Amino acid sequence: MVAGGVTKFAKAHPAMDFRLMVKRAYDAALAEVPELTTDRIDGSRVSYFSDHFSRQLKAASMVQDYLGLNPKGSVRIEWGGATGGECFQAAFEAVASGRMDVCLAAGYETMSRVATWKGNEFIALASDTNFDFPLGGFYTGYYALMVQRHIYEYIRLRKFAHIKDERQAQRMAIAEGTRVMALVSVKNHVNALHNPYAQYPKQLSVQDALNSEMISYPLTREQICTMSDGAAVAILCDEERAKEFTDRPVEVIGVGTGTDTMRLSDRPFGKVPLMPREKASDYTHLPYPGIHSFRAGRSAGLEAYRMAGIEDPNEELDFIELHDAYSSSEIQTYEDLGLCKYGEGYEFTERGDPFLTQVKYPFPTPKAGAIPVNPSGGLIACGHPVGATGLMQAVFAHWQLQGTIAEHFHDPTLQIADAKLGAIHSHAGTGSAVTVSILKRGF
Amino acid sequence: MPAPRKFTKFREVQAEIDKNGAALFVDKEGVESLIIHSPYTIHYIHSYAEDSAFFLGLASGVLRGSKCSKASCGFVYGTPRGHCMVCGSPTTWIELPKEGRIHSWTTCHFGGEAFLKETPYNLAMVEFDGVGSLLLVRLKECTESEIYIGMPVEARFEPKPKYSITDIWFVPKPAAASEKPRRG
């Protein structure tokens, strides 16, 4: 990867349609690498999630057209919430296969063109429309079902095993789980105070997060990402050309993907695919994934780590930008990616491992800096214009590995010192598809 | 159509276009965007296809799952599938118990636009004895503070079927001493 660009993510960009948003992000990327002009690009992969938001089918063609890339090859990539991550990997494949020397990955979403609750309906159309959608058309509800079970397995049955009254024990476990989830929400909102591209930077407190409006029990508004307008692009090329275009390239050294059933109802109760540090005996009594964990995330992580030669992600990775559509799914994802064992996500959060040392949070984070997660602010604070999100992560990771956060954010705070290896993680509805890509400083 | 009125707050635009068809939005930089009302409705000829017997069953008060026809597999589905996810063999229809337990649940205070008028509503994933997968349903006749994982529930059927998954819902049932919730 030689360059990336993003527009600021916002509730609405009424003065830009999707073509102009992508053009702005594309021009920002080209400005980083003056030797790389449009005539050097061999083709593109263009991502957006839903045709419903703009009611323009084959909109990716219009992006290709607007950027002046015709008659070069292009194809649209769509894979739910993981659309951006898949687009990044599709561009990687175009280059790695030798089909293209230089490939543009461009993504966007314009979600402001419908009212918020209509937008929720569109997103929920990416669930089974015979069995799931007619019950409420609401993805937050599905994630609430998942985190309820996660809390039950790992807090109710462990920390509160001694409480006999089932209803009381579960309420205590939910209070404990949501309190820790709120730490994640605070982390991401506070990190974003130093990211000018973020939609919702905020000096949030744990109480603010917990007391915000209940959306789907136990998920409150501040624990959930919002709808956004935005675009992001990444330009990938082979090593030879990378050296020609920039002296600060970033290598893609691992890609992984995973999938799971569309319906939560169909998720199996099987065995955990193990990370290098885990043993089968760690999970003797854990039917997996059930609805508590994202098997696709574990699968994507394992594949990407194997390709990149990573054995211990905590030790080897300097940071991760992961898909925190909900504070709950960020904690679930720590476990999927092997940052801690299944069941340890809450303690891992409380210890402070995924926090930054250089940012001040309104509670102690003793192990901050162990493995910073979502230094940018993630989806919760940056916004989630679906087709752009996975590419936004690539751009922020690119700048971290280049050491150019200060230059791009006009604020050095979020730069992770001497970052050499990072991961990006993109996730589709209830974990029905996940991508993980490993990026490495290439100079 | 009259000349569009100007707005500087984007959230006020929708009401204006719904009423008058068009509005002019002026952003902080002074850039003007013309925004119009653009409705879109469609009536699908939706076939339940291989899932049809499930919805016909609900209409006659029968809850159907499916079972893998391969003897060495025999996986039982709480939400029917035409072919087995484990071994790929065709499944056959079976009748599921009308009682089960809550595997997980939530109370939705919002929803997709079409469902906002029904809030708050409860969703529950139900587990059945001897069945390998779950069923997602609405849970009624109870509120957020009463529901818990493992709670025994039983099915109710819509007397005037709409041939939708909402033709079935579950309600709390008094617990029997022997019931043991599943893990996972």
Side-chain angles (χ1 to χ4, degrees):
Chain A
M1 179 168 171
V2 290
V6 282
T7 62
K8 182 178 168 63
F9 289 178
K11 179 74 189 160
H13 279 312
M16 291 190 279
D17 73 3
F18 58 93
R19 296 167 299 179
L20 181 53
M21 281 199 305
V22 175
K23 172 70 171 158
R24 292 267 159 81
Y26 176 65
D27 285 347
L30 286 186
E32 308 254 303
V33 279
E35 300 298 314
L36 204 177
T37 45
T38 296
D39 60 302
R40 301 292 303 272
I41 292 177
D42 296 313
S44 72
R45 300 291 177 254
V46 181
S47 65
Y48 64 101
F49 160 58
S50 178
D51 293 304
H52 295 308
F53 282 113
S54 51
R55 191 149 66 92
Q56 171 63 62
L57 300 197
K58 211 160 180 292
S61 269
M62 295 166 75
V63 170
Q64 175 83 350
D65 180 344
Y66 201 75
L67 299 183
L69 288 168
N70 291 328
K72 296 165 182 175
S74 180
V75 70
R76 177 211 179 164
I77 305 291
E78 185 274 312
W79 209 220
T83 291
E86 293 283 359
C87 182
F88 182 80
Q89 294 193 355
F92 163 81
E93 284 161 5
V95 173
S97 67
R99 187 173 185 181
M100 294 187 197
D101 293 332
V102 185
C103 184
L104 169 72
Y108 74 87
E109 211 74 45
T110 43
M111 306 175 86
S112 69
R113 269 49 167 184
V114 297
T116 296
W117 302 112
K118 180 55 87 178
N120 270 278
E121 212 176 288
F122 289 167
I123 291 166
L125 287 169
S127 63
D128 187 313
T129 54
N130 283 1
F131 289 92
D132 295 344
F133 177 84
L135 293 168
F138 198 32
Y139 249 105
T140 303
Y142 308 152
Y143 279 86
L145 291 165
M146 295 190 83
V147 73
Q148 285 273 58
R149 193 67 202 187
H150 192 264
I151 289 171
Y152 179 78
E153 285 291 334
Y154 299 132
I155 304 182
R156 159 60 184 123
L157 292 183
R158 294 186 180 186
K159 204 167 179 176
F160 297 112
H162 59 288
I163 309 280
K164 291 281 185 303
D165 184 300
E166 189 57 46
R167 203 182 271 115
Q168 185 201 356
Q170 290 187 21
R171 288 311 185 278
M172 291 167 74
I174 291 166
E176 177 70 2
T178 49
R179 180 184 63 77
V180 180
M181 283 154 51
L183 305 180
V184 171
S185 175
V186 170
K187 167 174 73 71
N188 294 352
H189 282 99
V190 172
N191 287 355
L193 288 168
H194 306 280
N195 178 354
Y197 293 97
Q199 186 175 347
Y200 288 111
K202 199 183 282 189
Q203 189 66 54
L204 191 74
S205 73
V206 171
Q207 281 312 314
D208 292 340
L210 291 173
N211 295 342
S212 59
E213 197 172 11
M214 185 59 72
I215 306 297
S216 186
Y217 182 83
L219 293 169
T220 54
R221 190 177 286 273
E222 298 288 6
Q223 315 249 29
I224 306 172
C225 69
T226 61
M227 308 234 177
S228 314
D229 283 2
V233 309
I235 305 176
L236 284 81
C237 63
D238 63 0
E239 285 181 50
E240 194 183 321
R241 262 143 288 253
K243 285 175 193 145
E244 178 192 342
F245 295 137
T246 177
D247 48 16
R248 295 184 299 191
V250 165
E251 289 178 61
V252 183
I253 63 164
V255 288
T257 60
T259 57
D260 216 326
T261 64
M262 187 71 145
R263 296 190 299 229
L264 282 180
S265 303
D266 290 344
R267 300 283 164 94
F269 297 92
K271 288 198 168 68
V272 180
L274 300 174
M275 284 279 167
R277 289 187 309 173
E278 296 173 339
K279 300 185 294 292
S281 60
D282 294 338
Y283 303 123
T284 316
H285 301 292
L286 182 69
Y288 180 88
I291 61 163
H292 53 77
S293 292
F294 306 118
R295 182 172 57 157
R298 173 57 60 113
S299 169
L302 281 169
E303 187 188 356
Y305 293 160
R306 200 182 310 124
M307 182 172 166
I310 292 174
E311 292 191 348
D312 185 342
N314 290 41
E315 282 302 310
E316 296 171 55
L317 292 171
D318 296 303
F319 68 91
I320 301 179
E321 288 286 345
L322 66 77
H323 191 103
D324 57 323
Y326 303 87
S327 58
S328 52
S329 60
E330 176 160 330
I331 293 175
Q332 288 161 310
T333 298
Y334 297 156
E335 299 172 349
D336 300 329
L337 294 183
L339 308 184
C340 56
K341 287 179 185 170
Y342 279 109
E344 293 177 355
Y346 297 100
E347 295 148 67
F348 177 82
T349 307
E350 278 214 285
R351 283 202 312 258
D353 293 56
F355 289 76
L356 291 166
T357 48
Q358 64 269 38
V359 172
K360 193 160 167 40
Y361 305 100
F363 43 79
T365 52
K367 284 200 71 188
I371 171 75
V373 176
N374 286 327
S376 69
L379 281 58
I380 283 184
C382 291
H384 182 21
V386 185
T389 304
L391 292 165
M392 163 198 82
Q393 296 171 325
V395 176
F396 292 155
H398 184 75
W399 293 343
Q400 282 288 1
L401 295 164
Q402 282 189 322
T404 57
I405 287 288
E407 189 181 306
H408 289 101
F409 288 180
H410 311 294
D411 179 336
T413 310
L414 299 177
Q415 178 67 52
I416 290 156
D418 200 30
K420 289 193 181 73
L421 198 63
I424 55 175
H425 163 278
S426 193
H427 163 122
T430 69
S432 55
V434 175
T435 69
V436 173
S437 304
I438 311 291
L439 279 63
K440 184 184 172 200
R441 189 161 79 191
F443 57 97
Chain B
M1 200 182 283
R5 295 167 59 203
K6 286 188 183 182
F7 291 84
T8 54
K9 288 182 181 143
F10 188 68
R11 64 174 179 274
E12 293 172 356
V13 167
Q14 186 169 19
E16 174 68 10
I17 62 173
D18 287 351
K19 190 169 158 225
N20 293 320
L24 211 50
F25 173 71
V26 188
D27 70 14
K28 280 182 222 148
E29 281 83 44
V31 179
E32 293 187 350
S33 300
L34 177 61
I35 299 175
I36 61 158
H37 178 67
S38 176
Y40 179 47
T41 54
I42 189 156
H43 296 264
Y44 284 95
I45 305 156
H46 182 74
S47 173
Y48 280 127
E50 67 271 24
D51 294 334
S52 296
F54 173 84
F55 294 94
L56 288 166
L58 295 186
S60 54
V62 177
L63 175 58
R64 290 192 177 119
S66 63
K67 182 174 192 228
C68 176
S69 61
K70 190 176 167 187
S72 60
C73 177
F75 195 94
V76 179
Y77 291 95
T79 305
R81 300 173 63 104
H83 282 79
C84 180
M85 171 172 87
V86 181
C87 74
S89 305
T91 59
T92 54
W93 291 101
I94 56 162
E95 189 170 341
L96 291 171
K98 291 192 174 67
E99 301 171 358
R101 284 173 304 275
I102 292 181
H103 184 78
S104 193
W105 66 278
T106 181
T107 301
C108 295
H109 296 264
F110 291 88
E113 192 175 80
F115 306 93
L116 284 176
K117 59 185 182 300
E118 299 167 28
T119 58
Y121 56 87
N122 308 313
L123 298 180
M125 303 204 69
V126 177
E127 55 186 47
F128 303 98
D129 284 334
V131 175
S133 69
L134 308 169
L135 178 68
L136 179 62
V137 292
R138 286 275 186 99
L139 180 68
K140 299 185 185 177
E141 295 176 27
C142 54
T143 57
E144 194 171 287
S145 61
E146 300 164 64
I147 312 167
Y148 63 95
I149 288 173
M151 187 184 204
V153 289
E154 59 189 15
R156 294 283 184 272
F157 295 88
E158 173 61 53
K160 293 178 197 156
K162 297 176 182 70
Y163 303 105
S164 156
I165 185 69
T166 52
D167 284 349
I168 187 172
W169 62 91
F170 280 65
V171 300
K173 164 184 171 284
S178 63
E179 301 207 46
K180 191 166 179 288
R182 75 177 294 162
R183 290 292 309 272

